[in-house]
Amino acid sequence: MWKYLDNCQPPKAKPEGTESERLKQYDSGQRKRSFQADWTKSDSVRNYLQLRQSSSGALCTPGQWQLVSAVCLQRQPIITAEKTELEQQYADMMAQMELETSLLSDQELRAIEDKAIEAKRKQQEENETGEGEVEGARVTALDLEDAWEAEAKQFTPAARITEADEKNDQRSVERRLDKPLVLLVKQTLGDKSHWVFPQGPRQEGESMRQAAERVLQNLCGQQVGAQFLGNAPCGFHQYRFPPKASIGTGAKVFFYKAWYKEGDVIPDKENSTDYMWVTFDELSDHCSRPYLKSIGNFLVDL
């Protein structure tokens, strides 16, 4: 009897739950792992993970990436753009349809009433009767149109082509009023100068948005007023430092978009030697191709 007891093995512990519950747990784990794999494939998520893994200070040791905030300061169009030939034809067609199908305006009704009163006055003069005296002094629709025309002649609309356009002054925000403009500054990156959006490294203890605000004030002056659009960056760009550089592997630039409100740009001569306001089409004349590819993802000319 004892030999049989010695050969007995203790029963194996069964997994908790029924068979269907264990299958549900397995399927849930599979879906979670699949979701995580797809989630990390997103460019924005990869950039965020790289941001968390990178150094938190402005200075970085060799092998680390430097975190940089840049500001896409954009001046919105001041006037409407000129219509294309197709847009003008469509506008003329809609105006003609409106004229044919719309009701009479107050001015047109007043003109019809004036004609009726004038016809009644003439009839009374021919009959030489005093019955039904017609209203005396009256401001007619024609009188109103004459007054409006005289007032319109005193108004002179501003020219669409400004003095800055004639001189091609790219430092003025008064140029190309029908197009959005963005601010470029000339900064020294490495051993060369490049035309880029105002940018600078993040310092210890500040967020990327706070770094962007500080960089704009330091490089472009305290007089520049800007309205930042949110706390999240709108674009990303990275470049490597020269092999001999001892400040890190390279820079990861996070772009923040802001609307220009007021003020003149006064560049910091130490970090930004020059500046210009350019249209989206003019960016290719000053920026490198990789930089254009990165900023082209969030620049939209509507």
Side-chain angles (χ1 to χ4, degrees), residues 244-265:
K244 297 181 180 180
S246 60
I247 58 175
T249 302
K252 294 185 177 182
V253 185
F254 294 85
F255 297 100
Y256 286 81
K257 183 169 285 189
W259 294 152
Y260 170 81
K261 297 175 63 177
E262 60 183 356
D264 297 329
V265 177

Side-chain angles (χ1 to χ4, degrees), residues 12 15-17 25 36-37 53 56 59 66 75 80-81 128 147 150 180 199 206 215 217 219 243 268 271 280 293 297:
K12 295 182 179 180
E16 296 182 0
Q25 293 177 0
Q36 291 175 345
Q53 295 172 358
S56 60
L59 298 178
Q66 188 180 71
R75 190 223 66 186
T80 57
E128 295 181 354
Q199 70 175 48
E206 64 180 0
V215 165
Q217 296 295 321
L219 296 183
D268 176 17
N271 300 313
F280 294 168
K293 184 178 180 181
N297 295 327

Side-chain angles (χ1 to χ4, degrees), residues 27 30 52 57 59 71 80 82 93 106 117 124 169 191 232 251:
D27 293 340
Q30 287 290 96
R52 292 295 301 271
L59 298 178
V71 184
T80 57
E82 292 281 1
M93 181 188 68
D106 293 343
I117 293 176
Q124 288 180 354
D169 183 9
D191 54 354

Side-chain angles (χ1 to χ4, degrees), residues 27 93 95 113 125 127-128 131 146 154-155 176 180 222 241 244 252 254 262 278 292-293 300:
D27 293 340
M93 181 188 68
E113 183 181 357
E125 292 176 355
N127 297 334
E128 295 181 354
E131 298 179 359
D146 292 340
Q154 297 177 359
F155 174 75
R176 302 301 301 270
Q222 302 290 331
F241 295 142
K244 297 181 180 180
K252 294 185 177 182
F254 294 85
E262 60 183 356
V278 296
L292 286 173
K293 184 178 180 181
V300 181

Side-chain angles (χ1 to χ4, degrees), residues 63-74:
Q64 291 183 332
W65 289 85
Q66 188 180 71
L67 299 183
V68 176
S69 291
V71 184
C72 174
L73 186 61
Q74 182 172 327

Side-chain angles (χ1 to χ4, degrees), residues 223-241:
Q223 297 181 354
V224 176
Q227 179 181 356
F228 281 77
L229 307 181
N231 295 321
C234 61
F236 172 78
H237 176 70
Q238 71 177 22
Y239 57 89
R240 291 184 175 273
F241 295 142

Side-chain angles (χ1 to χ4, degrees), residues 134-234:
V134 180
E135 182 180 353
R138 172 185 171 88
V139 179
T140 64
L142 186 59
D143 294 334
L144 291 175
E145 292 178 3
D146 292 340
W148 294 338
E149 185 177 357
E151 183 179 358
K153 289 181 179 180
Q154 297 177 359
F155 174 75
T156 303
R160 297 180 63 91
I161 305 299
T162 63
E163 182 180 356
D165 289 322
E166 296 175 352
K167 296 181 178 180
N168 194 25
D169 183 9
Q170 292 186 322
R171 289 190 172 187
S172 173
V173 293
E174 300 299 326
R175 63 185 297 265
R176 302 301 301 270
L177 299 181
D178 59 339
K179 293 284 187 180
L181 299 179
V182 290
L183 177 64
L184 290 180
V185 295
K186 197 171 188 179
Q187 290 186 245
T188 301
L189 304 177
D191 54 354
K192 295 182 180 179
S193 296
H194 300 270
W195 285 104
V196 293
F197 293 152
Q199 70 175 48
R202 170 182 172 270
Q203 294 181 356
E204 183 69 27
E206 64 180 0
S207 65
M208 298 298 291
R209 158 72 183 268
Q210 292 171 342
E213 295 175 345
R214 174 182 54 79
V215 165
L216 181 62
Q217 296 295 321
N218 291 345
L219 296 183
C220 302
Q222 302 290 331
Q223 297 181 354
V224 176
Q227 179 181 356
F228 281 77
L229 307 181
N231 295 321
C234 61

